[in-house]
Amino acid sequence: MRDSESSHSTGQPHAADRPDPEADPGRGRRIGIDVGSVRIGVASSDPDGILATPVETVPRAKKNARGTAAAADISRIAEIVREYEAVEVIVGLPRTLRGEKGTAAGLAIAFAERLRSEIAPVPIRLSDERLTTVSAARALRDSGVRARGQRQVIDQAAAVSILQGWLDERSAVLRSAEEAARDASSGGDA
């Protein structure tokens, strides 16, 4: 594993990350990304990391030769990361229902690797995101939004879902770590 990868990964190449109190960058906005083959949904959190909201949908750039300047999609995402002064970027890592990596996971991993060099030292985390696009489309349809012509909204909603899942898990992990530290300091003499 390369040094630029998150310090708390499981040791497997490109395994989904989990929030880790020791690697947590603290207060600040997070950016969530849903990488698709045609579009990239982008969401952001508030500085306290409580609520994810949609930002925009970025069109995927056509493949470019290695060694050329960053593609327009990478450049735009890097610009968003700087604009929002993000402390962490969460990229959805799609898995099959059996937990295996497919073509979509390969796209997300390749995108994260390319983005990593553009936004360093801001860490990129890969978050397991099964069915977020399907769930986002269903939720929008149930709320009266028609899917036809609304694909950009669906991509943003999927990014919101990815980021909100990370924020919720991060909050629970940090709360648990605080409770464990409090218990250790108050109950050590018992």
Side-chain angles (χ1 to χ4, degrees):
M1 202 171 289
R2 295 194 341 237
D3 291 337
S4 61
E5 290 190 59
S6 62
S7 61
H8 67 283
S9 335
T10 62
Q12 297 175 337
H14 308 298
D17 293 313
R18 305 295 301 263
D20 179 355
E22 293 184 27
D24 189 80
R27 188 175 189 275
R29 293 184 188 274
R30 273 105 178 128
I31 299 294
I33 299 176
D34 177 52
V35 180
S37 59
V38 177
R39 290 170 302 278
I40 301 163
V42 182
S44 74
S45 74
D46 60 289
D48 292 320
I50 296 170
L51 184 65
T53 56
V55 172
E56 72 180 73
T57 301
V58 176
R60 282 301 300 259
K62 302 292 182 218
K63 290 184 179 181
N64 61 349
R66 287 190 183 263
T68 60
D73 52 1
I74 295 285
S75 295
R76 179 61 190 136
I77 302 293
E79 188 177 319
I80 291 168
V81 169
R82 287 188 292 276
E83 283 175 18
Y84 282 76
E85 298 177 351
V87 297
E88 190 170 49
V89 174
I90 314 304
V91 175
L93 181 62
R95 305 274 187 160
T96 65
L97 291 177
R98 293 189 309 188
E100 299 166 351
K101 291 182 212 166
T103 305
L107 281 173
I109 290 166
F111 186 86
E113 291 298 322
R114 289 177 33 230
L115 181 61
R116 182 173 274 122
S117 65
E118 293 295 317
I119 65 168
V122 177
I124 293 180
R125 316 288 189 210
L126 296 172
S127 180
D128 189 351
E129 57 110 339
R130 295 176 211 189
L131 301 176
T132 53
T133 301
V134 173
S135 299
R138 182 176 298 128
L140 287 169
R141 185 178 59 245
D142 291 349
S143 68
V145 176
R146 294 181 184 206
R148 188 178 196 112
Q150 298 296 326
R151 298 203 191 285
Q152 293 185 355
V153 175
I154 292 169
D155 295 326
Q156 290 177 36
V160 166
S161 179
I162 290 164
L163 183 55
Q164 191 64 56
W166 179 270
L167 295 174
D168 293 347
E169 185 177 5
R170 175 182 175 264
S171 177
V173 165
L174 292 177
R175 191 170 38 255
S176 177
E178 288 171 7
E179 289 171 3
R182 196 171 33 250
D183 289 349
S185 66
S186 66
D189 296 333

